[in-house]
Amino acid sequence: MPGRHTSSAPPNPASPGSARRPAITVPTLTSPIGRGTMTTTSFNDGWAFRRADETVAVYVRLPHDAMIRETRSSDAETGNHGGYFPGGVYIYTKRWIVPADADDRDYSLVFEGVYGDARVLLDGREVGRCDSGYREFAVALEGLRPGATATIDVHVDNSRVPNSRWYTGSGIYRPVWLESSGRLQIPRDGIMATTRKIGVEAVVDVAVRVEGDVPLGATMIVEFLDGERVIARRTTSMRVDGMIILPLTIANPRLWSAESPHLYDLRVELAVDGEAVDERRIRTGVRTVKVDSRHGLRINGTSVLLRGACVHHDSGILGAATFAASERRRARLLKDAGFNAIRSAHNPLSRAFLDACDELGLYVMDELTDVWMKHKTPNDGADRFEEMWEADAAAMIATHRNHPSVIMYSIGNEIAETATVDGVDAAHRLHDYFTANDPTRPTTLAVNLLLNLMASRGSSAFEREEYTGEKKPSKKEATSTVANMVTARLGRIMNLVSRLPAADKASRDAFAAVDVAGYNYAYGRYRADRKKYPDRVIVGSESMPGDLPAIWKRVTRIPGVIGDFMWTGWDYLGEAGIGIWSYGTQSGSINKPYPALVAGPGAFDITGLPGAPALLAAAVWNTADAPGISVRPLDVTDERANKSPWRSTDAICSWSWRGLSGKAEVQVYSADEEVELWLNGRCLGRKRAGARVNFVARFTTQYEPGELVAIAYQNGVETGRGTLRSAGPLSLRLRAESTELDGPDDLTYVWAELADEFGTVDSYAADVIAVAVSGAGSLAGLGSAAPMTEESFIDHEHSTYRGRALAIIRGSERNGDVSMNVTSRRHGSAEIVLHNQTANRIVHA
């Protein structure tokens, strides 16, 4: 199916966090007067926040996650789904001096996302609402009195939980913008750029919509700019109905792709009698998308295989708060690890993440929802699906259609009712809606064939004890061992069941409704289904990380299979314990009891540290320069492991286990033919590597401190070597990923590590650290990747995990140094100085 489209959308500067401060009175802020063209201004600062049952408010700077500040408990109603956090009802208040031009201009607030049922009040009267947690929405501020002090309240009700299968956060978790425009305007998301043709010249159709009464003499000027240079320009008279489509020709275009993510600026100006009355700018790329069963996926006419990562929306120790710096960091680390595609699981990505994907070069499968008409959790959106889905889809298309990174729309994830007549009808309706409103991208639907088979027989996994985590003590003792065994084999079970003829029957009509069939945990069907359905295009929309060698063999050999998405590229909060290995008598079920916090299957953990799944992926895709080494933790190798199918190994990248001894299990990942392992100058043997052994060579040796070296060979010639070392004398050391901050909407990440003078971290060392931040910045979050913990991410004190903790520092409104002092109980103290330079807060769109 042909598809082309590019660019970002209205402005999306970086996004800050929030910090608890002393009790305050509600502040009054003044917004600059917007003259002439549209202005879009950050509206993130100066909010007073409180729980609805409290009277004392605290300052916060948006975006803000109210849930991450709550106290977790074993009886919290989100249960394992939400990481044992409670829900709540919250109120955000801001006082704002209305500009003097309010009689002549329109003012509105744009909320990129509020999790919970949201009501927006202006001076006590409701002016807008949104009951969809991932939908961007705008609220017109009508009836303003110039010079008056207006009070804006946002009431957020996220008390009915669980309403999701993962951690959602609560409150205004994405940025808010104040927009000021004249009566005649180019509305937010009023531009659509579509690449119609590529070659020596590219033809891009630019559609523009204008709101207001269009006078005679109105003109529209459209320009493509490459840096400061105008490379294409058209001017036309504006139609009275406010709609135009202008084709622009770009000579010798630089095409956008993941390998070469070139972006252009697109400027659109509306003028009346030669005077500009409005202007919008977006960033866009020139590229085409096509899929068919013969050629698979083609970007700009070149075949592409998707090396994909499923990614949830939370920001790890920051909770759900969406920071542009955090989103870009995550995208960059995934890209550097060899991934070239992201699946937004299971909701539309933030503008900031899409901007990062555009700039860095990552393809995006943009997903609408996890729930249609059947509940997966007691309070999810199933009852409101029919009344909400179209508005959600419209907002998703409008805000994402200009991003070149978005190459495919997923209309749902594991919607088991697609095995029924009503579900298939809904699939057709959603596909038709997306195709009618954006025909430039194919649609897909992520189907779990086991769940569809169950649904076709009137059953649902989402109502069963092993999924919901409901406690039935009388059965626990008798079933724990069996449950652990079933859990460990669940991936194999899903793949085997998916091959049954009944599973095909329960999914074929749903797959026929979309352009690309998304298979969750069913790679065993690929070859047979391509023969049975020769026109079907297949993507592995969700898979176990350890299955990647078998999956990628099929992806590269079976025409019409366009790639695979690992569950998950990045770890996430909630769905607690699904990918965590436990030991001995600990629970081995999918759902771990409190204080389990993270899911556990990520190639990267929640702090951004890569693990063995990332090494395996790099070996399978042959994107690594050297063999990767991981080692099973020495402190658990003597215990029985309760494995998870969502994590093929518990090994980590470390050879430093101070004070431990015993058998060490070493895993070396390489695409080459052989690997040789050396320990302290002694050869431990040479073994097969590469595809013949699923890209991992395994060694066993007695642990001794020192240097572990893996050498890869191809045709007998060394191709690269990887090294792990043991740490020498330890002390607390700080390592900043960046020492520069760009104002209050920027972040930097500082690692607190128990390491030697060379930076080697000891994985068995443990300590408690305390962080103090002063100057032109503040502590936005402090934590670790510990899968089970009762500690909070908002405290100034936290335990290390495997020798590390992570502090996230946010800039402020004032310029200057940020001093970070960290003390530990047993490893001394350390200090680092960062620098904050405040940027301009006003953005013109």
Side-chain angles (χ1 to χ4, degrees), residues 583 609 633-636 650 652 654 657 660 754 761-766 784 800-805:
Y583 304 94
L609 198 68
L634 261 72
D635 55 341
V636 296
D650 61 348
I652 66 173
S654 176
W657 302 90
L660 295 180
L754 307 179
V761 176
D762 188 82
S763 296
Y764 194 56
S784 75
T800 61
Y801 175 69
R802 297 296 183 204
R804 291 180 172 89

Side-chain angles (χ1 to χ4, degrees), residues 533-795:
Y533 304 101
D535 293 331
R536 182 178 289 181
V537 182
I538 294 172
V539 66
S541 40
E542 194 166 311
S543 65
M544 305 290 185
D547 289 339
L548 189 59
I551 292 169
W552 204 247
K553 184 185 300 183
R554 291 162 171 80
V555 170
T556 54
R557 296 181 182 178
I558 304 174
V561 180
I562 64 174
D564 178 75
F565 288 84
M566 175 191 300
W567 191 265
T568 57
W570 201 278
D571 204 4
Y572 56 100
L573 304 176
E575 206 165 18
I578 191 171
I580 296 173
W581 284 28
S582 61
Y583 304 94
T585 60
Q586 297 174 345
S587 171
S589 69
I590 292 177
N591 305 302
K592 303 296 189 297
Y594 179 82
L597 175 60
V598 302
F604 285 79
D605 67 27
I606 63 168
T607 66
L609 198 68
L615 301 182
L616 175 61
V620 172
W621 298 329
N622 199 18
T623 58
D625 296 328
I629 312 173
S630 67
V631 181
R632 289 204 61 217
L634 261 72
D635 55 341
V636 296
T637 51
D638 290 337
E639 298 187 57
R640 176 177 59 87
N642 304 312
K643 301 178 181 180
S644 164
W646 278 275
R647 194 165 197 89
S648 58
T649 177
D650 61 348
I652 66 173
C653 305
S654 176
W655 188 248
S656 188
W657 302 90
R658 184 176 303 273
L660 295 180
S661 61
K663 182 175 65 176
E665 300 178 23
V666 182
Q667 301 164 5
V668 181
Y669 297 90
S670 176
D672 291 312
E673 291 176 344
E674 294 180 308
V675 293
E676 198 170 63
L677 190 66
W678 292 72
L679 174 59
N680 294 330
R682 304 189 313 275
C683 181
L684 302 182
R686 183 183 292 201
K687 293 190 176 184
R688 284 184 174 185
R692 295 176 299 175
V693 290
N694 290 328
F695 300 92
V696 57
R698 303 176 189 276
F699 298 82
T700 301
T701 186
Q702 287 297 118
Y703 174 73
E704 62 181 62
E707 183 178 70
L708 192 66
V709 179
I711 306 174
Y713 296 91
Q714 187 71 23
N715 298 322
V717 178
E718 179 181 332
T719 60
R721 58 179 61 196
T723 303
L724 293 177
R725 295 182 178 88
S726 302
L730 300 177
S731 63
L732 176 65
R733 296 181 177 272
L734 303 182
R735 177 171 57 89
E737 294 184 2
S738 171
T739 58
E740 300 296 320
L741 285 158
D742 185 17
D745 296 339
D746 197 15
L747 304 171
T748 191
Y749 289 71
V750 182
W751 292 92
E753 299 173 325
L754 307 179
D756 65 13
E757 60 180 318
F758 303 106
T760 302
V761 176
D762 188 82
S763 296
Y764 194 56
D767 209 336
V768 177
I769 64 168
V771 177
V773 178
S774 61
S778 60
L779 182 64
L782 175 65
S784 75
M788 297 190 180
T789 179
E790 295 187 78
E791 294 179 292
S792 170
F793 295 145
I794 67 168
D795 291 339

Side-chain angles (χ1 to χ4, degrees), residues 299-356:
I299 305 295
N300 303 323
T302 301
S303 294
V304 169
L305 295 178
L306 300 175
R307 305 188 302 270
C310 295
V311 174
H312 264 305
H313 81 291
D314 74 72
S315 301
I317 67 174
L318 296 169
T322 302
F323 297 78
S326 176
E327 300 287 65
R328 183 177 178 85
R329 175 180 183 259
R330 185 160 43 156
R332 174 178 53 81
L333 289 174
L334 288 167
K335 171 87 175 184
D336 290 347
F339 293 91
N340 72 351
I342 300 295
R343 175 184 175 219
S344 63
H346 305 287
N347 44 262
L349 284 176
S350 69
R351 287 189 186 255
F353 205 123
L354 289 177
D355 283 344

Side-chain angles (χ1 to χ4, degrees), residues 768-830:
V768 177
I769 64 168
V771 177
V773 178
S774 61
S778 60
L779 182 64
L782 175 65
S784 75
M788 297 190 180
T789 179
E790 295 187 78
E791 294 179 292
S792 170
F793 295 145
I794 67 168
D795 291 339
H796 284 69
E797 188 173 272
H798 205 92
S799 300
T800 61
Y801 175 69
R802 297 296 183 204
R804 291 180 172 89
L806 180 67
I808 303 178
I809 307 301
R810 184 184 69 187
S812 72
E813 293 281 4
R814 58 193 179 93
N815 297 336
D817 289 342
V818 184
S819 295
M820 176 180 169
N821 183 271
V822 184
T823 59
S824 70
R825 295 179 182 177
R826 294 186 297 277
H827 293 87
S829 62

